[in-house]
Amino acid sequence: MKPILIICLATVLSFSVKAQNPDKALARVRYTFIHISDTTQRDKPHTENMLLVTGKNASVYTSYDKLNQALNTQKQIQEQMKNQAGNSNIKIEVKSEMKVPLTQEDYFFFANEHKMITKERLFNNYLIEETAPQIDWKILKDTMSFSGIPCQKATATFKGRKWVAWFATEIPFQSGPWKLNGLPGLIIEAYDEKKEVKFTFAGLENVKDDANQTNSGEDGKIVTPNGTGVVKMVGIDVSTAYLGPEIKLPADAIKTTRKELDKLKAARDKDPQGFMQAQMAASGMQGSFKANPAPRPTGGTAISKPEINNPIEIPGKK
């Protein structure tokens, strides 16, 4: 199926969900995620830049590439709205530079509450809450440094893979990339024993304690050129809140289950345009929506959905 770029500019009703208490963001860690998702093409692994924002109790792990793509989309819309100021029939055309699908799930980990919350966006934000997995780590005496950060080795079997993790005892956070957590120090690097899945350390920065820095969750809103109104983008994930001083769940999210979310995904994939129209109507929005296939790359070959015969989580394994 051709990838669909879904963007809708409109006013939307908010749905609230009881959220965990916000935690102060203390550090941002970047990883390079490398995954041999198709074992028939081991020389063409999926590669993606990822971001972990962590505090004392909470952390959130997301795609850094997805975040930058969303910011670029917002910039394109702002520029086109500015260029069409005074036009009663504004036409917005967004060009996507995405060549491969990006990770859509964001993982929130709350250590004190032992909770893992997965966030996905299908027009609205959806949250799936579960008890955080208890990973039975075996801490070894081996040590190694990554970019000057001294680390200690730990191993565990988790979700069907045997993992090796290098954690920094000098950075006292229990978080790490993806669903890997629970060590007495930040996980700097991790990989499975076959090295089919790797999270390679790409940088760390402290979050500045800036009183002027905010993450109100209103990053999806654009002020109209004449300043008389506000347009809210829905249907895409603009997560600049992750760059703010707090780690918190989106206020407009809807709690659901994996089974129900999978049903929504199936409906979206079967009829993207019909799905968006139904979601807009359910949210009390008026107007029409048209889904356009993403443009073909040079050469005329459509971007195809990659084959995944080697998922990160091995089905049926703990």
Side-chain angles (χ1 to χ4, degrees), residues 153-186:
K153 186 178 182 180
T155 60
T157 298
F158 178 61
K159 299 294 184 181
R161 294 184 183 274
K162 294 182 179 179
W163 291 93
V164 173
W166 294 92
F167 66 98
T169 56
E170 295 180 358
I171 307 177
F173 302 126
Q174 299 181 50
S175 50
W178 183 52
K179 298 180 180 181
L180 301 176
N181 54 62
L183 281 166
L186 176 70

Side-chain angles (χ1 to χ4, degrees), residues 127-245:
L127 302 179
I128 299 174
E129 182 179 313
E130 58 187 328
T131 301
Q134 297 293 312
I135 304 176
D136 186 17
W137 292 105
K138 181 180 180 181
I139 297 177
L140 307 177
K141 295 181 179 180
D142 307 58
T143 60
M144 186 181 294
S145 292
F146 296 87
S147 299
I149 301 174
C151 295
Q152 190 169 348
K153 186 178 182 180
T155 60
T157 298
F158 178 61
K159 299 294 184 181
R161 294 184 183 274
K162 294 182 179 179
W163 291 93
V164 173
W166 294 92
F167 66 98
T169 56
E170 295 180 358
I171 307 177
F173 302 126
Q174 299 181 50
S175 50
W178 183 52
K179 298 180 180 181
L180 301 176
N181 54 62
L183 281 166
L186 176 70
I187 297 177
I188 297 296
E189 286 215 12
Y191 48 85
D192 73 320
E193 66 172 359
K194 295 181 180 180
K195 294 193 174 180
E196 294 177 338
V197 183
K198 295 188 288 185
F199 302 96
T200 304
F201 179 68
L204 181 150
E205 64 177 9
N206 294 325
V207 176
K208 296 180 181 179
D209 191 6
D210 186 350
N212 296 320
Q213 193 178 30
T214 62
N215 61 342
S216 63
E218 302 298 320
D219 51 316
K221 290 186 176 181
I222 299 175
V223 178
T224 54
N226 57 13
T228 59
V230 174
V231 172
K232 183 173 182 179
M233 297 192 301
V234 294
I236 60 173
D237 206 351
V238 187
S239 303
T240 53
Y242 297 159
L243 302 181

Side-chain angles (χ1 to χ4, degrees), residues 13-268:
L13 297 177
S14 294
F15 294 82
S16 61
V17 62
K18 185 177 180 181
Q20 304 295 312
N21 292 328
D23 193 20
K24 183 178 180 180
L26 298 176
R28 299 189 189 99
V29 191
R30 289 183 292 108
Y31 300 92
T32 301
F33 169 48
I34 302 172
H35 178 204
I36 300 176
S37 57
D38 183 359
T39 55
T40 66
Q41 299 189 64
R42 290 183 173 273
D43 59 332
K44 298 179 180 179
H46 172 81
T47 302
E48 189 172 351
N49 296 303
M50 310 300 290
L51 176 69
L52 174 74
V53 184
T54 186
K56 290 182 178 179
N57 173 54
S59 65
V60 57
Y61 175 76
T62 187
S63 168
Y64 195 55
D65 288 340
K66 180 182 69 171
L67 188 154
N68 284 323
Q69 182 189 61
L71 291 175
N72 180 58
T73 296
Q74 184 172 0
K75 182 179 179 181
Q76 289 185 57
I77 293 172
Q78 287 175 320
E79 290 178 349
Q80 291 182 52
M81 289 180 64
K82 182 179 179 180
N83 293 336
Q84 298 179 63
N87 188 343
S88 60
N89 186 24
I90 295 178
K91 181 180 179 181
I92 302 295
E93 181 179 348
V94 177
K95 296 180 180 179
S96 174
E97 297 179 354
M98 183 178 70
K99 297 180 180 180
V100 295
L102 301 176
T103 301
Q104 296 304 309
E105 299 88 355
D106 296 343
Y107 298 102
F108 288 83
F109 171 56
F110 297 91
N112 293 345
E113 295 84 356
H114 305 290
K115 287 185 178 180
M116 176 74 72
I117 298 178
T118 303
K119 181 186 84 70
E120 289 193 59
R121 190 176 187 103
L122 280 74
F123 186 85
N124 295 304
N125 282 316
Y126 290 92
L127 302 179
I128 299 174
E129 182 179 313
E130 58 187 328
T131 301
Q134 297 293 312
I135 304 176
D136 186 17
W137 292 105
K138 181 180 180 181
I139 297 177
L140 307 177
K141 295 181 179 180
D142 307 58
T143 60
M144 186 181 294
S145 292
F146 296 87
S147 299
I149 301 174
C151 295
Q152 190 169 348
K153 186 178 182 180
T155 60
T157 298
F158 178 61
K159 299 294 184 181
R161 294 184 183 274
K162 294 182 179 179
W163 291 93
V164 173
W166 294 92
F167 66 98
T169 56
E170 295 180 358
I171 307 177
F173 302 126
Q174 299 181 50
S175 50
W178 183 52
K179 298 180 180 181
L180 301 176
N181 54 62
L183 281 166
L186 176 70
I187 297 177
I188 297 296
E189 286 215 12
Y191 48 85
D192 73 320
E193 66 172 359
K194 295 181 180 180
K195 294 193 174 180
E196 294 177 338
V197 183
K198 295 188 288 185
F199 302 96
T200 304
F201 179 68
L204 181 150
E205 64 177 9
N206 294 325
V207 176
K208 296 180 181 179
D209 191 6
D210 186 350
N212 296 320
Q213 193 178 30
T214 62
N215 61 342
S216 63
E218 302 298 320
D219 51 316
K221 290 186 176 181
I222 299 175
V223 178
T224 54
N226 57 13
T228 59
V230 174
V231 172
K232 183 173 182 179
M233 297 192 301
V234 294
I236 60 173
D237 206 351
V238 187
S239 303
T240 53
Y242 297 159
L243 302 181
E246 288 185 323
I247 300 167
K248 60 181 180 180
L249 296 168
D252 63 346
I254 303 169
K255 292 184 72 172
T256 188
T257 63
R258 172 56 60 188
K259 183 178 180 180
E260 292 302 316
L261 188 59
D262 286 344
K263 287 182 180 179
L264 281 174
K265 286 182 178 180
R268 176 202 60 187

